[in-house]
Amino acid sequence: MKIKYILSHCLLVALLFMSCGTSQRHYIKVSEVEPVHVARFDSLVYNYIQESDTAKRHAMMEQAGSFWNIYNARLMRFRNTPYFYDELVRYMNVDKVSRLYEDALKEYSDMSEEEKSLALISARYQKLFPQAQQFIFQSHISALRIPIITVDSLISMSVDCYLGADYELYQDRYRQYELVAHGRECLLPDVAEVMVRNTVPVQNGGLLEAMVYEGVVMHLMAGLLNDDSMATLMRYTPEQEAWCIEHEEEIWRSIIEQSHLFIRDNMTIYKYIYPAPFTATLSQDAPPRVGRWVGWRIVECYMDKCGISLEELAVDNNPYLEYLRLSNYNGK
């Protein structure tokens, strides 16, 4: 499929204007918002290796709870249980690790704004999923491993993964197209996405089910964040969003003509859904993760046609094939 990139000035201006607000569909009114505190496991580890008093170090381990072993043994792969002191000290003496810790602790010395936003996200989450467990939050530093870790009701944020696309130490760790996902502005959307994915079950199937699931996740994320812009949900530029809108019918036609809609081949599904420089099943001009954007559109049409609210979407058990059928989506 060869699609030429044509973007009118008027369309780009319209998209920029549209991206400034949030539709009523994604507005969740909450009356009570409980404060949220982000526990600083990152600072605790840093203080642990500076502490010479064994009793005080043990007290810090106790304060960390079960996450102490999860972090050291499973995430960092240290073996000197249960204290990990010597390995942590050696690890922190590596120049790049030491700098990463210092830069992350400096950047996130104050997380009060994140705490305010997490309080709102948590209140909206409770409104959408009143029967689900409520999450608690902490920060850690993983040396650029997994950005978000969940353990039961705990969500732990690896703040060193969110230091900005131009952060020097990222250049050798991430591919160029991955850098857009590592700004501080990406932290809360990633948390909201994890909250939704931990709550909404996946429906087995092929590409269709994968796309619709991504669409459901994105719509519920938009509600938690009170932000339905593609810049937030997809990390799309206005030009990338415009490309999808201009070529929507061609994208859908290509999926159908290639017999991909019900395909169960994991590699093909991966190309439509996961981050990459572009969507290889379509064109090198196509933005990445176009399958995710198509899922957004299918769910959007489904909600419009059936009069489904965000609260109803959160508990909707319809098969995703029904989402497509009832939406009447055909690429527009």
Side-chain angles (χ1 to χ4, degrees):
M1 174 187 180
K2 183 64 176 177
I3 301 177
K4 293 182 179 179
Y5 177 77
I6 304 172
L7 175 64
S8 72
H9 175 73
C10 291
L11 178 57
L12 179 56
V13 171
L15 282 166
L16 287 170
F17 179 77
M18 289 165 57
S19 67
C20 294
T22 301
S23 70
Q24 279 297 112
R25 176 190 289 118
H26 300 108
Y27 177 72
I28 302 174
K29 184 178 180 179
V30 290
S31 55
E32 295 184 10
V33 179
E34 295 292 330
V36 163
H37 171 66
V38 175
R40 300 306 301 265
F41 183 85
D42 45 5
S43 299
L44 184 145
V45 171
Y46 190 78
N47 293 334
Y48 176 81
I49 65 169
Q50 312 295 329
E51 182 56 63
S52 58
D53 188 292
T54 303
K56 291 181 179 179
R57 289 206 301 268
H58 285 187
M60 292 179 186
M61 289 170 50
E62 291 295 322
Q63 180 183 342
S66 61
F67 193 74
W68 182 258
N69 279 334
I70 292 170
Y71 176 80
N72 287 289
R74 295 174 60 182
L75 179 63
M76 306 305 290
R77 306 289 178 88
F78 296 152
R79 298 182 179 277
N80 186 22
T81 56
Y83 307 116
F84 303 104
Y85 177 75
D86 293 336
E87 287 173 299
L88 278 168
V89 170
R90 282 196 297 271
Y91 193 66
M92 292 294 187
N93 281 332
V94 176
D95 287 343
K96 286 187 177 180
V97 174
S98 175
R99 180 180 168 189
L100 190 64
Y101 246 89
E102 290 172 1
D103 290 347
L105 288 174
K106 181 179 179 181
E107 173 67 22
Y108 288 91
S109 60
D110 181 2
M111 293 190 71
S112 58
E113 290 304 312
E114 280 81 8
E115 288 177 332
K116 291 176 185 176
S117 295
L118 286 170
L120 285 167
I121 289 171
S122 296
R124 294 171 188 141
Y125 176 84
Q126 188 170 16
K127 187 79 175 288
L128 285 180
F129 304 103
Q131 304 304 318
Q133 66 179 356
Q134 295 305 299
F135 292 100
I136 58 176
F137 305 93
Q138 73 172 23
S139 57
H140 70 277
I141 292 173
S142 70
L144 309 185
R145 287 175 170 84
I146 304 171
I148 308 288
I149 296 174
T150 59
V151 183
D152 297 326
S153 62
L154 172 68
I155 292 181
S156 192
M157 304 164 284
S158 185
V159 291
D160 56 314
C161 295
Y162 300 93
L163 296 176
D166 59 350
Y167 181 60
E168 182 181 352
L169 295 184
Y170 287 173
Q171 308 311 309
D172 294 331
R173 172 63 176 83
Y174 299 118
R175 297 180 179 91
Q176 189 64 35
Y177 69 85
E178 294 174 321
L179 292 173
V180 67
H182 293 280
R184 188 164 182 164
E185 71 280 359
C186 298
L187 175 59
L188 293 176
D190 280 1
V191 170
E193 182 170 350
V194 165
M195 293 170 73
V196 173
R197 290 188 188 279
N198 276 16
T199 309
V200 178
V202 176
Q203 291 188 15
N204 294 326
L207 177 62
L208 172 64
E209 285 77 12
M211 291 194 301
V212 175
Y213 176 72
E214 294 296 317
V216 170
V217 168
M218 289 171 64
H219 278 276
L220 295 174
M221 277 176 62
L224 296 187
L225 296 166
N226 193 30
D227 184 350
D228 57 12
S229 69
M230 289 298 111
T232 296
L233 301 174
M234 296 278 295
R235 278 107 198 206
Y236 272 4
T237 64
E239 292 83 2
Q240 288 174 320
E241 183 180 0
W243 192 97
C244 291
I245 292 171
E246 287 195 37
H247 299 98
E248 185 171 6
E249 290 186 61
E250 295 167 82
I251 292 167
W252 186 248
R253 185 165 60 249
S254 177
I255 293 172
I256 301 301
E257 289 176 351
Q258 294 182 86
S259 300
H260 284 171
L261 186 59
F262 301 109
I263 198 168
R264 291 173 177 261
D265 175 62
N266 288 334
M267 183 59 70
T268 302
I269 294 172
Y270 188 97
K271 290 176 181 177
Y272 278 104
I273 300 297
Y274 288 87
F278 51 86
T279 301
T281 51
L282 299 177
S283 162
Q284 290 192 12
D285 296 326
R289 312 185 79 180
V290 165
R292 199 170 196 240
W293 184 83
V294 171
W296 167 271
R297 290 285 297 120
I298 293 172
V299 175
E300 185 175 43
C301 292
Y302 172 71
M303 294 176 72
D304 285 343
K305 293 286 185 182
C306 299
I308 300 276
S309 69
L310 209 57
E311 287 85 352
E312 291 168 325
L313 180 68
V315 296
D316 192 339
N317 293 318
N318 250 341
Y320 289 158
L321 181 59
E322 283 294 284
Y323 278 52
L324 178 62
R325 185 181 70 83
L326 294 171
S327 70
N328 292 327
Y329 181 79
N330 62 355
K332 59 183 178 180

